Amino acid sequence: FKLMELKYPELDVRLHVSRIYRDARRLFGRGPYKDHLWFSIRKPTSTHWTERPVFWFEIRPEGYGYGMGMWMAKPFTMECYRKEILEHPERLMPLAEALAAQDVFVLDAPEYKRPKEGTPDGLLAKWYNRKGFSISCERGWDKTLESRQIVDDMLKGYEFLMPYYHYFMEMCDLARMKEFMK
């Protein structure tokens, strides 16, 4: 986290680490411990943290992953995002092409069962019909996780994801502004 803070001081982000324990009031037959742990690097905000893009790292029994995403975007935010894609496809196209040209990260987010009206063709179609988004790198257990290499890989990965972070932060700000103007 400190390296991200030093490299991108203008982001003004904070580190948030998940707890290993489950809330005892909500066990519902599950054990007291979580089977995966994560941290996120995110901007302090008055909205719920899942409504804005965050960088994350997660350890699971099957392996680990890291990336950037926004899991519970408001439907209005995603509606503004889709409108932006249709009106200004040239803004997202270089990002979509860059993601398609590499083999570390994948676009992974829940899609609507029925395609939204106006779905564009080509690369942008994959980005259009989403309820949220996550751009992630998923790995099984390997020697990288046990070495300094994981830090270097994550920093390089987060650097690659920075233009996506800025793009989606703009989309969130645009949606909040439009919602405020209603």
Side-chain angles (χ1 to χ4, degrees), residues 74-85:
K74 290 182 179 179
F76 184 75
T77 301
M78 295 309 288
E79 184 182 317
C80 291
Y81 162 70
R82 284 188 294 277
K83 187 175 180 184
E84 180 71 14
I85 290 175

Side-chain angles (χ1 to χ4, degrees), residues 20-133:
I20 192 169
Y21 301 105
R22 295 185 197 276
D23 184 334
R25 298 168 294 174
R26 294 175 180 85
L27 290 177
F28 304 113
R30 297 176 296 183
Y33 301 105
K34 295 178 182 173
D35 66 352
H36 61 284
L37 299 174
W38 67 92
F39 69 78
S40 61
I41 300 170
R42 61 188 191 233
K43 220 173 203 8
T45 179
S46 60
T47 61
H48 194 273
W49 71 270
T50 58
E51 296 175 9
R52 313 264 301 167
V54 301
F55 292 97
W56 56 271
F57 175 83
E58 179 182 46
I59 294 180
R60 304 173 304 281
E62 311 82 44
Y64 65 98
Y66 58 95
M68 193 260 324
M70 185 169 66
W71 288 269
M72 297 172 66
K74 290 182 179 179
F76 184 75
T77 301
M78 295 309 288
E79 184 182 317
C80 291
Y81 162 70
R82 284 188 294 277
K83 187 175 180 184
E84 180 71 14
I85 290 175
L86 293 176
E87 291 176 1
H88 302 285
E90 73 281 358
R91 292 194 62 220
L92 182 59
M93 186 55 85
L95 298 175
E97 289 171 343
L99 189 68
Q102 53 80 56
D103 62 356
V104 175
F105 292 98
V106 296
L107 178 64
D108 179 36
E111 292 187 62
Y112 290 102
K113 289 183 180 163
R114 285 179 288 177
K116 292 288 184 182
E117 193 173 312
T119 300
D121 294 329
L123 276 178
L124 294 184
K126 287 177 59 174
W127 294 79
Y128 190 80
N129 201 42
R130 304 286 174 165
K131 295 178 183 179
F133 74 92

Side-chain angles (χ1 to χ4, degrees), residues 1 15-18 36-42 49 54-60 63-69 71 105 134-142 144-147 149-151 153-155 158 161:
F1 168 71
L15 175 67
H16 295 270
V17 180
S18 70
H36 61 284
L37 299 174
W38 67 92
F39 69 78
S40 61
I41 300 170
R42 61 188 191 233
W49 71 270
V54 301
F55 292 97
W56 56 271
F57 175 83
E58 179 182 46
I59 294 180
R60 304 173 304 281
Y64 65 98
Y66 58 95
M68 193 260 324
W71 288 269
F105 292 98
S134 178
I135 303 170
S136 63
C137 170
E138 302 293 334
R139 301 279 188 241
W141 289 99
D142 60 20
T144 302
L145 190 58
E146 301 169 12
S147 70
Q149 185 64 40
I150 186 65
V151 175
D153 288 354
M154 285 174 51
L155 280 174
Y158 290 159
L161 295 172

